[in-house]
Amino acid sequence: MKKNILLAFILFSFCFTSTGQNKYKELDALLNKNSMIDAMTVLEKLKDNPKKDTLDAEYWLRYSKASFTLYKYENAKAAIDKSIKLAPQNAAYHFEKGLMLNRIGEPENALIALQRAVELKPKGEYHYWKGIVNQQLNKLKDAEEDYKSALANGFETPELHNNYTNILMINEKFTESLIHANKAVAMDKKNGMAYSTRSKNHLYLLNVDAACADKSAAYDLGYMRVFQIPDTICKGSFIQKMKFAGDYCAGSNMYKQAIKAYSALIDKKEYQSDIFLNRGYCYYKLKEYANAEKDYLKALELPNPVKDLLYDNLSLLYFDQDNYTKSIEYSSKRIELNPKNHVPYIDRGLNYRKLKKYDEAEKDFNKSLSIKPDFFRAYGYRAFLFLELGQYRQSLEDASKSVEINPKYAYGYLVLAQAKQKLGQTDFCTDLLNAQKYGNDEADIAIKQYCN
């Protein structure tokens, strides 16, 4: 499950403190209204000022803010750059530039400006906004350090603690994140987002009752994006609550916490197949293969096992440990359950290819395609089989077919590039770049070796 990072933003405002230049007091009052009409008035007054004022960095700061309000972004950027040119060591101008660039959708450039601001003056507010931009760019370690620096430099708001809580939760620092969630609520007891964030934190700590209480508090405060826990769970039994917590943690990739939830159920003698299946899956994701195997096999012994899923998981488990014979055993069991399921044939075919049983592998890939003729993964895997056998023309045809069916199939592009290279076709780098674009890590190495 993809994690959504909720950022608590302070609205970008034109309220600012003049650096001792009272002659701009009237203009500042107009700018602080965030009105387009007032911004036009500011620009007119600035243009009427004596010419020497254009050598004043504060003059260009007001010009930038007024232009921004009027959606004249290029003018706003040019004006703030003039402020910086006139006073390059003034951190405030770099900060204002960073805020503006972030608002107009240039977070990378905003980060550069904010980084310069904190270098010139490590002000807590500057670190906070730099943290927000880093969080937007998914640079979570940097954002965590920025929020920590903001607090160390005396800047503290409910929004900061809320953002910090989210990052610490993603990094699975749940006890530490709860401290900041509590501070966000304590600083603003009417902040629905803070209660919602703390609700999620409580759930990760498997305290479902506290999570439900915070969910209700957020909802009562009118927060519409409240973290959802069904009322049936909040009013349910310990078993229902712990299952929900475990499933939510597993779905959020918080596998260690999910294991704790499922283990708590098993400790209560809740020997249900799905609980062992889910705990086994979490162990598998953590590469604790021995524990995963025990749980999967236990799940098969219990009433009402989901055999198709368990056979699938066991096949993958053994494949990842290079135990191809055992993997074949369970993919074959899956085929016996449903011979018309096209997926286990490619799983078994991959194992046969690893064992160099090429005829068996090709038969399984062919069978998968006979059931589902547009199954792009079967074309991709058969393409690699042909590549390994030196049948480059057939490999090219299958790889081309795989990306024709799914234009975002990274592995298909990787095999296509290799087939083209073997056939002496010079445009293979285009396919490597597509493989890289759609997430294949192996393409990076090939691009550095052949395409620079």
Side-chain angles (χ1 to χ4, degrees):
M1 179 182 290
K2 232 175 185 177
K3 292 179 283 294
N4 293 318
I5 304 170
L6 292 177
L7 297 181
F9 289 105
I10 295 175
L11 291 178
F12 182 69
S13 167
F14 290 132
C15 296
F16 60 93
T17 302
S18 177
T19 58
Q21 301 222 19
N22 291 327
K23 62 185 177 181
Y24 295 115
K25 186 175 181 180
E26 178 188 354
L27 301 187
D28 293 347
L30 292 171
L31 285 169
N32 288 339
K33 294 179 181 179
N34 294 323
S35 159
M36 292 183 69
I37 294 175
D38 290 324
M40 290 175 66
T41 302
V42 169
L43 285 182
E44 289 171 6
K45 288 180 177 293
L46 287 170
K47 290 173 182 177
D48 288 341
N49 270 4
K51 192 173 182 179
K52 64 179 181 180
D53 277 0
T54 59
L55 297 177
D56 178 4
E58 291 287 304
Y59 172 95
W60 290 110
L61 175 60
R62 274 75 181 179
Y63 197 102
S64 176
K65 288 177 176 290
S67 298
F68 181 90
T69 300
L70 293 168
Y71 300 99
K72 297 179 179 180
Y73 297 145
E74 292 306 314
N75 290 350
K77 288 195 283 186
I80 196 64
D81 283 340
K82 287 181 180 179
S83 289
I84 291 171
K85 186 175 182 180
L86 289 166
Q89 299 304 307
N90 190 320
Y93 299 139
H94 294 278
F95 176 63
E96 294 289 348
K97 181 179 179 179
L99 291 183
M100 179 182 66
L101 290 172
N102 194 45
R103 277 298 302 273
I104 65 178
E106 298 182 22
E108 292 86 357
N109 292 330
L111 188 60
I112 294 169
L114 292 168
Q115 176 62 39
R116 184 58 180 151
V118 299
E119 288 171 356
L120 291 167
K121 187 175 183 179
K123 192 175 176 181
E125 185 181 9
Y126 298 172
H127 278 289
Y128 169 62
W129 278 97
K130 182 168 169 279
I132 282 179
V133 176
N134 270 319
Q135 196 166 352
Q136 286 177 287
L137 293 170
N138 207 34
K139 297 180 178 181
L140 301 184
K141 288 184 179 179
D142 292 337
E144 182 177 344
E145 288 304 312
D146 281 323
Y147 292 145
K148 191 181 297 183
S149 296
L151 290 167
N153 283 281
F155 185 81
E156 187 175 19
T157 66
E159 292 80 13
L160 188 159
H161 285 295
N162 197 74
N163 289 357
Y164 201 10
T165 298
N166 276 305
I167 284 183
L168 290 168
M169 285 194 293
I170 291 168
N171 292 333
E172 300 187 53
K173 299 177 181 179
F174 302 115
T175 302
E176 185 181 351
S177 63
L178 184 59
I179 293 170
H180 293 280
N182 288 335
K183 287 183 177 180
V185 171
M187 290 182 74
D188 183 0
K189 295 187 183 302
K190 294 184 178 181
N191 188 332
M193 179 185 285
Y195 284 100
S196 182
T197 301
R198 191 171 69 175
S199 176
K200 185 187 295 186
N201 203 139
H202 281 310
L203 188 63
Y204 283 141
L205 286 168
L206 311 183
N207 188 343
V208 182
D209 290 334
C212 289
D214 274 345
K215 179 207 78 166
S216 296
Y219 185 80
D220 290 343
L221 287 165
Y223 184 62
M224 293 297 100
R225 299 177 65 186
V226 64
F227 175 63
Q228 288 295 330
I229 306 174
D231 288 340
T232 53
I233 297 299
C234 291
K235 296 175 183 177
S237 65
F238 170 81
I239 294 168
Q240 289 172 302
K241 289 173 181 176
M242 220 33 53
K243 271 192 174 184
F244 179 83
D247 292 349
Y248 184 83
C249 289
S252 301
N253 301 332
M254 304 301 181
Y255 301 117
K256 291 179 182 178
Q257 294 304 107
I259 287 169
K260 289 180 182 178
Y262 297 132
S263 296
L265 289 166
I266 292 168
D267 290 343
K268 293 284 187 181
K269 308 301 181 184
E270 285 297 319
Y271 293 159
Q272 297 177 27
S273 181
D274 62 326
I275 294 173
F276 282 94
L277 165 61
N278 291 344
R279 191 175 71 168
Y281 173 77
C282 293
Y283 279 130
Y284 168 74
K285 296 300 287 187
L286 293 173
K287 299 187 186 304
E288 296 183 26
Y289 295 131
N291 286 330
E293 181 183 26
K294 287 179 186 176
D295 275 354
Y296 288 153
L297 294 175
K298 180 66 176 178
L300 279 171
E301 296 173 0
L302 293 167
N304 304 313
V306 185
K307 288 186 177 181
D308 183 76
L309 187 54
L310 283 163
Y311 291 156
D312 184 26
N313 286 7
L314 281 162
S315 178
L316 292 172
L317 172 73
Y318 292 125
F319 185 87
D320 284 0
Q321 296 176 86
D322 301 334
N323 190 342
Y324 304 121
T325 301
K326 288 291 287 184
S327 184
I328 287 170
E329 177 186 338
Y330 283 97
S331 54
S332 296
K333 285 177 180 287
R334 198 175 175 212
I335 289 168
E336 289 171 13
L337 279 178
N338 181 9
K340 293 184 178 180
N341 183 351
H342 59 285
V343 176
Y345 289 100
I346 65 164
D347 292 339
R348 191 171 68 178
L350 285 169
N351 282 290
Y352 280 134
R353 184 180 66 76
K354 287 287 189 178
L355 293 171
K356 300 189 183 304
K357 295 184 176 182
Y358 297 120
D359 289 341
E360 291 90 336
E362 186 177 352
K363 285 178 184 177
D364 272 346
F365 295 146
N366 291 343
K367 181 64 176 179
S368 180
L369 286 168
S370 72
I371 298 169
K372 187 173 175 59
D374 62 347
F375 190 29
F376 61 90
R377 287 174 57 206
Y379 279 111
Y381 292 141
R382 193 173 69 177
F384 190 84
L385 172 68
F386 288 142
L387 187 72
E388 201 168 79
L389 292 170
Q391 298 171 19
Y392 305 129
R393 181 60 60 184
Q394 289 172 278
S395 177
L396 179 72
E397 290 175 4
D398 269 2
S400 298
K401 185 69 175 177
S402 75
V403 298
E404 178 186 328
I405 296 169
N406 181 0
K408 295 183 179 180
Y409 184 37
Y411 181 74
Y413 284 112
L414 181 69
V415 180
L416 180 59
Q418 293 176 81
K420 283 184 176 182
Q421 191 178 24
K422 291 292 186 181
L423 291 167
Q425 297 184 15
T426 58
D427 64 337
F428 66 88
C429 281
T430 301
D431 298 301
L432 286 175
L433 290 169
N434 278 325
Q436 181 188 57
K437 177 182 177 181
Y438 296 118
N440 188 286
D441 295 334
E442 293 179 57
D444 297 342
I445 300 169
I447 289 168
K448 289 177 183 177
Q449 186 173 357
Y450 299 111
C451 301
N452 289 335

